Structure formats: C-alpha cells, structure tokens
Amino acid sequence: MSSLKQLQRKSAIKKQVYKPILDNPYTDEAHNWPYVQEQSLIAELVRSHVTTVLQQAPDSLDVRFGFNDVVKFLQGSPSKDDLVASPPSRVFLFVCNRDSIPSVLLAQIPILARVSRYEVVLVPLPRGFISHLDECCPANQYHDGMLLVVENSNFDIQFASQVVKRVGHVTPQPWLKFNESRIAVIASEVSLNSKSAKSSK
Amino acid sequence: MSLNRSQREKFVATHITHKYNLLHILPGIEQTQLAGLYLKSFYNGVKRNQLCLPESITNGTKFCEQCGVVHIAGVNLEMQVVKRETKTSGKSGRTLQYKCTQCSAIKEFVFEAAEVSRDELQKSTKELVSEGTSAGKIKPLMENESKVKKQSSAKNRAKKRKMNSLSNMLNKKKEADASKKRSLSLNLNDFLQKS
C-alpha cells in the first residue's frame, strides 16, 4: 500500500512544476520547437527523399550526422569564399525530439538553430522516426537523432518547398536578436560623485 | 499585504518572469558581469514562493552554474560529445561537455546512463500498468525514486523493524491472550463451565 501512496505523491509533485515561466512571451520557450502541419506526410517525405536516398547512395547528399558534427557545422560561419560566391545556403535539420534522445542533448539545438548564420529549417520528426535514421547512418557513427542536410544542387527543390511550407518557421525570439536589440550601454563620462565635482568649483 | 489568492498568484508570476527575463537580456547587451547576481536573485524568488522549476532550467543546461549566464550555443557556449570512461562501471559512456566561454567553466552531463535508467523506468511502469500492482513489480520502481522518497521509506522500514522486535511481539501476544480471556469470560458457555 505504501508504494502506491508514494507513486501518487510522486505524480502530485510532478504536477506542481511551475510552467508559466516557459510561456512568457519574451523567452517563449514553450514554442522552441516549430509546429509541423501534416506530420505523417512530412515524415513520409523525409523518409522517401532523404533517408532511403542516403541508404542507397550515401554520398549523394551533403549531410552531417550526430551531435558533434551538426553543432560544429551550425556554429561555424560560412567560409568567406562561400559568402562571395553565394548567399549562406539553407540547411535542413531533422531532429527526432520525441524519441528517447537525452533532453540535455536537445536543449540547446533550437537556440543554436536561431543563432546560426545559416538559415536553418528545423524539422521535428514524429515519434519512432529514429529507426529510419538508424538504417541510413554509417555504422561507426552515432546519429543522436539528428540529421543535417545542406541544400545544394543535388537536393530536390520540390521537396524543400513542401517541407518549408508545412513547418512553422522558428519564431524569432527577442532575446536572441543581438544586433537588433535597442538596449545598449552607453559609455558615460559624467563623474559618479557629483558632489565632489561641485565642491571643487 | 492583503492579497487574495489570484492576486498573489499574478504577482508571483510577474515577479518571477521579470527576474527570468532580466537574465535573458544580459547577453544581448553584452553585460554579463552581474549574471550570477541576477540568477541568485531569481533562484531566491523561486525559493521564497516555493515554486518547483522545470528540470530543464535547474539541471545546468540553461544557465551556467559558475557565472550564471544564459547559455546560448555558439555565442557563449561550446558543446561537444566526448567519450569518457566512467569510474564506477568501467564502461565507456558518452558525455556531453558544456564549456562556458564566459568563465571557462566545464560542465559534464553523462547521458547514456540516464537514458538507460529512464528506459527501465518506462518499462517498469508499463509492466505495472499491464500486470496490475503485484509487489515485485513495484520494488524496482521504488529504487529509482528520489532522495526524499528514500528517506521516508527508510523511516517506514525503521517503524516496521520496531514493530517486529521481540519484546513488541511478546507484548502483542500477551495483549491477544488477555483479550481472549476477557471475551471468553463474557461467553455463556464459559460461564457455565466455570461454574
């Protein structure tokens, strides 16, 4: 009997988590992950256009597997030659955020997608999609439920537009707009102790 | 201050969100020196109002535990998954390493083990649901519970131990015997036998 009671108490404690803090419009963490319309369709498209393609011809697309590679790619700036030749290309980041991926791994990914200099289309995938990633991932690598695809000439434009249409754009969060934020500290030369200044006069 | 319940909740919400938002403004204006102070103030507010924060905020992924700045990957945070041999099991687990570029503090998250335990927890809960509440299935779940639970269970165990001690059992037996005698004495048959 006591264990049942403990279970109840445990669930009660879980309920008490203070959620309003995540809903506030400034940080807006409740909407970190964009909303996807017609999830099953998107999943099917990704499966047919990305994972099966990779399975059959691993070198056909410019992809990054796993946490380290994805993070390194997003953090790095496009090299200067790229900037001259073409505007920063668009990348698609497919994430299985509903499968059993450790939450610490995923915590910074939406933020990174916003901060990155690439235009990142963040696509959360439905539960269970991780098995498709298992199939197309090289054997000696971890994929961590993440797959980044760079949009290049090999990439199907139709597919890209279909995905972009259905995936809600990552909402710009005011606290991550560094350049646009209007608050700034202005260097001031007014002496702090004005009294002493007066007395010297 | 005499506030009714809803007013108080509203006040707490604005108060806490304000402190939380202040923390997020700091990296944007490149003034992160006081981040630790702001974080402390936020945590104090949380503690005073007895709020339970979501785990994502308190486990060190959101704020640097050293200097208190909000982690923003690629701006003030370097992330890397490294392979690391754990001391306890000797197995090579994968560890997520956060390095705050502000104060160069390094925080590590061992997630392979956490993942496994979570899976086990899910399994055991599923079994619990499917097979009812047999005692054997509940036990592994209890072991995974938090410290607070463990303390209370220890208390319970101590109580049980006390109840099972020899002197207690003797006392119980005596009481039972006494009650038997008393009940017998009121019985008509007993009365007749005695007489």
Side-chain angles (χ1 to χ4, degrees):
Chain A
M1 283 309 282
S2 66
S3 64
L4 268 182
K5 240 182 216 169
Q6 277 172 354
L7 278 179
Q8 276 171 358
R9 217 179 301 153
K10 198 183 172 192
S11 68
I13 284 170
K14 261 188 189 168
K15 271 178 205 162
Q16 280 170 8
V17 168
Y18 190 67
K19 280 280 157 78
I21 202 153
L22 301 181
D23 292 332
N24 88 67
Y26 185 66
T27 57
D28 201 25
E29 280 160 275
H31 303 108
N32 255 346
W33 296 94
Y35 176 72
V36 180
Q37 296 169 341
E38 298 175 75
Q39 279 222 338
S40 52
L41 179 72
I42 290 293
E44 185 57 34
L45 279 175
V46 174
R47 201 184 61 75
S48 60
H49 282 77
V50 180
T51 55
T52 45
V53 170
L54 283 176
Q55 215 175 328
Q56 276 146 20
D59 298 328
S60 58
L61 292 169
D62 187 6
V63 292
R64 304 284 187 284
F65 277 107
F67 185 82
N68 281 350
D69 286 353
V70 168
V71 168
K72 206 187 282 172
F73 182 85
L74 290 180
Q75 280 183 353
S77 57
S79 61
K80 278 179 185 172
D81 300 339
D82 287 350
L83 273 177
V84 174
S86 62
S89 56
R90 192 163 54 173
V91 297
F92 287 82
L93 179 56
F94 303 103
V95 184
C96 301
N97 63 338
R98 295 197 178 79
D99 288 298
S100 60
I101 307 293
S103 61
V104 279
L105 271 186
L106 296 176
Q108 290 285 329
I109 294 298
I111 294 173
L112 186 57
R114 286 177 175 85
V115 175
S116 175
R117 267 167 233 176
Y118 293 96
E119 189 191 341
V120 182
V121 182
L122 190 61
V123 188
L125 294 169
R127 184 189 295 272
F129 198 86
I130 199 163
S131 59
H132 296 299
L133 286 191
D134 286 334
E135 284 165 9
C136 70
C137 179
N140 54 352
Q141 262 182 304
Y142 290 99
H143 58 69
D144 297 319
M146 291 171 215
L147 174 63
L148 186 140
V149 185
V150 182
E151 187 179 357
N152 56 11
S153 52
N154 290 340
F155 202 65
D156 190 350
I157 299 168
Q158 275 290 324
F159 165 68
S161 67
Q162 286 289 324
V163 171
V164 171
K165 215 197 305 179
R166 287 185 176 76
V167 176
H169 204 72
V170 279
T171 47
Q173 292 177 333
W175 65 282
L176 289 173
K177 292 183 194 164
F178 298 117
N179 302 326
E180 297 163 37
S181 68
R182 290 188 186 162
I183 311 165
V185 177
I186 301 162
S188 147
E189 288 182 2
V190 178
S191 65
L192 284 174
N193 41 356
S194 53
K195 270 185 186 174
S196 64
K198 272 178 190 170
S199 63
S200 68
K201 274 179 187 175
Chain B
M1 250 193 323
S2 59
L3 295 171
N4 65 25
R5 193 192 163 94
S6 66
Q7 278 172 323
R8 196 176 64 235
E9 272 171 11
K10 209 173 162 187
F11 174 76
V12 166
T14 46
H15 174 77
I16 292 295
T17 9
H18 175 68
K19 287 192 184 234
Y20 190 64
N21 289 352
L22 272 182
L23 270 165
H24 286 77
I25 290 173
L26 293 175
I29 58 171
E30 291 172 4
Q31 301 295 317
T32 49
Q33 296 89 341
L34 292 180
L37 207 67
Y38 279 45
L39 184 66
K40 182 96 183 166
S41 154
F42 169 63
Y43 279 156
N44 277 340
V46 168
K47 200 173 168 187
R48 193 181 313 132
N49 294 306
Q50 295 175 330
L51 302 175
C52 178
L53 287 178
E55 201 199 346
S56 60
I57 293 178
T58 51
N59 66 359
T61 55
K62 181 90 194 169
F63 301 107
C64 173
E65 289 178 340
Q66 190 82 31
C67 64
V69 77
V70 183
H71 281 152
I72 301 171
V75 176
N76 57 20
L77 176 72
E78 286 168 14
M79 308 188 286
Q80 203 180 7
V81 174
V82 289
K83 279 185 184 173
R84 186 65 50 87
E85 282 200 6
T86 49
K87 285 168 193 166
T88 48
S89 60
K91 288 175 191 168
S92 63
R94 299 174 73 220
T95 313
L96 177 63
Q97 209 175 51
Y98 271 23
K99 188 184 176 196
C100 175
T101 51
Q102 205 75 40
C103 62
S104 64
I106 292 176
K107 162 106 181 150
E108 290 189 347
F109 303 93
V110 182
F111 55 80
E112 217 79 324
E115 194 183 4
V116 169
S117 72
R118 200 199 299 152
D119 282 353
E120 274 174 6
L121 202 80
Q122 277 176 354
K123 256 184 220 164
S124 56
T125 43
K126 267 180 202 164
E127 279 169 4
L128 201 84
V129 170
S130 60
E131 298 188 20
T133 55
S134 62
K137 293 289 187 273
I138 296 169
K139 265 183 188 167
L141 200 69
M142 277 170 63
E143 280 164 15
N144 282 338
E145 280 180 26
S146 59
K147 269 183 188 171
V148 186
K149 295 291 135 56
K150 267 179 191 165
Q151 276 175 1
S152 72
S153 75
K155 243 183 202 171
N156 285 346
R157 262 181 275 136
K159 241 184 208 172
K160 268 182 194 167
R161 230 179 293 135
K162 218 176 176 184
M163 294 291 280
N164 287 339
S165 69
L166 277 176
S167 58
N168 256 318
M169 280 165 88
L170 200 71
N171 275 340
K172 266 186 199 168
K173 209 181 174 186
K174 272 181 187 169
E175 270 176 30
D177 280 349
S179 64
K180 227 183 190 177
K181 271 178 192 168
R182 241 177 281 137
S183 67
L184 283 179
S185 64
L186 287 177
N187 210 332
L188 181 65
N189 270 336
D190 265 10
F191 179 71
L192 288 175
Q193 275 172 12
K194 267 181 192 172
S195 62

